Amino acid sequence: MSRAHLTPRAPTGLQWIQPFVDVGVLNAVDLGFAQLVHQNLADRSIRPADQRMVVLAAALAARAPQRGHVAVDLAQVAATAAVDSPPLRSQSGDIPGLTVADLPWPDPTKWVKTLQTQLDKGRLDGIVRGPQAPLGLGLPVELMVYDRGLLYLERYYSYEFSVKKALSDLAGSQTLPASLSTAAARDTLDELFEDSGPQRAAAEHAISHRLTVIAGGPGTGKTYTLTRVLAALLSADPQPRIGLAAPTGKAASRMKDAIGEATDELDSGLAETLRGVEASTIHRMLGWNDGIRFRHNRSNPLPFDVVVIDEVSMVSLPLMGRLVEAIGPSTRVILVGDPYQLASVEAGAVLGDITGSTGRVAQSVRTLTDARRFTTDSGIAVMAEAIRHGDADRVVEVLDSPAFADVERLDPDQTHELLNSTIASGVEAMHAALDGDAKKALALGSATKFLCATRRGDNGRDEWQKRIETGVRSLVDNYHFRGRWYVGRPIIATSNDYVLRLFNGDTGVVVKSANGRMVVFPDADNSEPLNPAQIGEFDTWWAMTIHKSQGSEFPHAVVALPEPGSPILTRELLYTGVTRAKNQVTVIATEAAVREAVSTRIRRASGLARMLS
């Protein structure tokens, strides 16, 4: 089938919207929603030009969550709209000459005014409601909600509203477990902190409030602070019920390991107790029932005195909505994360919205800035800070300076030596898998990990995956490479499987065992050997996208960027890739690509920060 036949066609009466489809701004699903709205607007005394603005806004609102936005921002969408792929050929075989900038976008001011006017006149009843209208019980009456320039699908506005209400209630509540002695907890903090710096201030807030947000970049002491908070709570109440969770199994495992490492200076009893607290995915904590509902919700809250969520930047708005709904009336909530890295793959930028707000919830945010993990000559720390501040000159200087041994930049044609060393680690991982040691195989395969901005292209994930796999194959007995499930193949889950308890981002490897070739996910909720036939949606994991790398950490992170001009080349993307590194960073990119990434901010359309302010 040719690509021409894959181009969706606008239905009768909506041919004017076809350019938005040809360029890639809208897809078939969005067209279907646009047609539904178009049909519902019939006989409503709306001028054709105004009706087109409503229909286009509706199609873009349907598209927004697929692009990570909670809503469509009518004033900004023309400048921020992204496409899935290069323009497809039309049925005539021609490639449309239009780009996103060339599309017939409505004037933003007029667009916003038109939506508000039609709403005020009641001409959008049953289709769009305003923010002050009561939330419907059961199925919504309206398809969308319009609020000061933002047009939402109704369920996403409901998610945003529920998160705002729950966080505001938590921030304003002083209801804590009756057994907790805040004075005793403070006494423990006096013993655990040498000074009264920002880490101590964050800990102080956490023991005396129901909501605390500990924000900061890598190495700023987030886990150090959190561990001491938990130790102080344990000292005041020897049997608090603590729930630790993160968005992925990998992030949950890292969280548990990091807390274990941070207990070295604690009393042996407290340290042993903290090391024994299990960490899980958020989905597992909430208790996924039947693929539709969670076991814990408003009527059956989580059975914890303290709920800690790590890597909150990865948590989507819908998942955060489910989480806060399940918080009990006296449960303390501690959210931990880095607001400067990429937001969740799904819709929303919850942590960024919280830290960017100015209301009651903002008073619960404690931001840590002093790097504890890195030494003063750490290029990783210096570069991450320069990226965060948008200082492209400093980023390039650090990358090219011999004074910083832990960072470097390579042009795409200078990677031969790096590739060979990565292949050598892959061969060692293969031998560990042949010995049945999945944990060792994954550790060796993760020693140097290629993190790519894009899936395709010369510097994309698919190309690096092929190079590494081909190199390993050339150095290992070909017998072991037979079949799809060859021994040593590293894989990553690309969707949630609630039956197997495998979640998007969990990593595993094919190992040799007495029962034949099995797949083991050492750090997942389910670490039992699985038959390959049981595995659902997955991908090979010799390399990965930067988006997928969130929540992970690698000894050597190799960040591969596309050429300038790519819409995915942003500051947040580069920052996220660089901060996945523990010891070493290599950036494969031209200087121009690095400069463009540092200079380009990503902006997700969301109203949560405004609601919280």
Side-chain angles (χ1 to χ4, degrees), residues 392-554:
D393 289 339
R394 181 59 172 159
V395 172
V396 171
E397 178 187 349
V398 172
L399 279 172
D400 294 342
S401 172
F404 298 104
D406 58 341
V407 299
E408 66 174 343
R409 183 184 66 83
L410 298 176
D411 284 324
D413 60 354
Q414 300 175 325
T415 59
H416 181 73
E417 184 177 336
L418 174 62
L419 177 60
N420 284 343
S421 65
T422 304
I423 290 170
S425 293
V427 172
E428 291 184 54
M430 177 77 68
H431 290 308
L434 286 167
D435 291 336
D437 192 337
K439 201 165 189 69
K440 182 179 179 181
L442 273 184
L444 289 166
S446 304
T448 299
K449 185 59 67 177
F450 278 71
L451 313 177
C452 308
T454 59
R455 291 180 61 88
R456 300 176 181 85
D458 292 340
N459 216 15
R461 193 220 61 163
D462 291 354
E463 182 61 29
W464 281 111
Q465 190 117 277
K466 179 181 177 182
R467 293 176 189 174
I468 297 168
E469 187 175 53
T470 300
V472 173
R473 181 189 295 269
S474 70
L475 297 175
V476 176
D477 184 345
N478 223 20
Y479 169 80
H480 301 300
F481 262 102
R482 286 184 181 176
R484 183 186 187 197
W485 295 98
Y486 59 82
V487 175
R489 180 184 184 184
I491 67 173
I492 182 169
T494 57
S495 66
N496 296 329
D497 187 325
Y498 302 101
V499 175
L500 290 180
R501 304 197 317 277
L502 293 178
F503 297 96
N504 196 344
D506 285 345
T507 54
V509 64
V510 181
V511 299
K512 184 179 179 181
S513 74
N515 297 319
R517 298 179 182 186
M518 304 294 284
V519 185
V520 179
F521 293 82
D523 298 322
D525 284 352
N526 181 1
S527 59
E528 296 299 316
L530 300 171
N531 190 299
Q534 295 177 267
I535 309 300
E537 297 180 41
F538 68 94
D539 209 339
T540 305
W541 194 54
W542 292 111
M544 68 192 307
T545 62
I546 294 174
H547 270 94
K548 281 286 186 183
S549 74
Q550 290 177 266
S552 298
E553 184 179 71
F554 306 100

Side-chain angles (χ1 to χ4, degrees), residues 128-384:
V128 183
R129 69 173 174 85
Q132 301 307 317
L135 294 173
L137 298 176
L139 294 175
V141 176
E142 292 86 4
L143 298 171
M144 294 172 285
V145 176
Y146 182 70
D147 182 10
R148 294 170 289 177
L150 296 179
L151 184 65
Y152 302 76
L153 294 181
E154 202 281 340
R155 67 180 177 277
Y156 282 92
Y157 183 83
S158 296
Y159 287 138
E160 204 169 80
F161 186 88
S162 64
V163 169
K164 172 258 181 183
K165 184 178 186 308
L167 292 179
S168 296
D169 289 347
L170 280 167
S173 173
Q174 294 297 324
T175 305
L176 297 172
S179 61
L180 173 67
S181 168
T182 304
R186 285 200 181 97
D187 289 343
T188 302
L189 291 183
D190 289 336
E191 299 172 8
L192 296 176
F193 286 94
E194 297 178 356
D195 54 44
S196 57
Q199 284 87 8
R200 167 63 194 261
E204 178 83 22
H205 188 276
I207 64 170
S208 55
H209 295 79
R210 286 192 63 206
L211 176 66
T212 301
V213 182
I214 302 176
T220 52
K222 298 188 295 295
T223 303
Y224 173 90
T225 303
L226 172 64
T227 303
R228 278 144 184 77
V229 169
L230 297 178
L233 295 176
L234 281 168
S235 70
D237 177 6
Q239 295 183 321
R241 297 167 298 171
I242 299 173
L244 305 179
T248 67
K250 186 74 171 178
S253 178
R254 273 194 63 215
M255 177 189 192
K256 180 174 173 58
D257 290 345
I259 288 176
E261 292 171 3
T263 61
D264 291 345
E265 301 173 10
L266 300 181
D267 171 86
S268 59
L270 289 176
E272 183 178 356
T273 301
L274 283 175
R275 292 190 192 108
V277 178
E278 291 300 320
S280 73
T281 61
I282 298 173
H283 289 84
R284 183 183 178 190
M285 173 184 276
L286 291 174
W288 196 260
N289 265 340
D290 53 10
I292 300 175
R293 292 161 293 190
F294 288 110
R295 184 169 67 256
H296 293 292
N297 49 41
R298 186 176 289 108
S299 59
N300 180 30
L302 290 164
F304 299 116
D305 299 309
V306 185
V307 168
V308 178
I309 306 297
D310 197 13
E311 296 288 358
V312 178
S313 65
M314 297 172 61
V315 180
S316 67
L317 177 69
L319 184 56
M320 181 60 76
R322 300 291 191 182
L323 175 66
V324 296
E325 182 184 66
I327 298 300
S330 62
T331 298
R332 179 186 283 99
V333 177
I334 302 174
L335 305 178
V336 184
D338 185 347
Y340 308 112
Q341 69 179 39
L342 284 168
S344 63
V345 175
E346 299 176 56
V350 176
L351 182 59
D353 286 338
I354 292 172
T355 57
S357 64
T358 58
R360 176 193 293 171
V361 172
Q363 297 172 16
S364 299
V365 177
R366 295 296 181 270
T367 302
L368 309 180
T369 57
D370 297 331
R372 301 172 59 92
R373 180 194 307 165
F374 302 107
T375 59
T376 55
D377 61 347
S378 167
I380 297 174
V382 174
M383 183 165 63

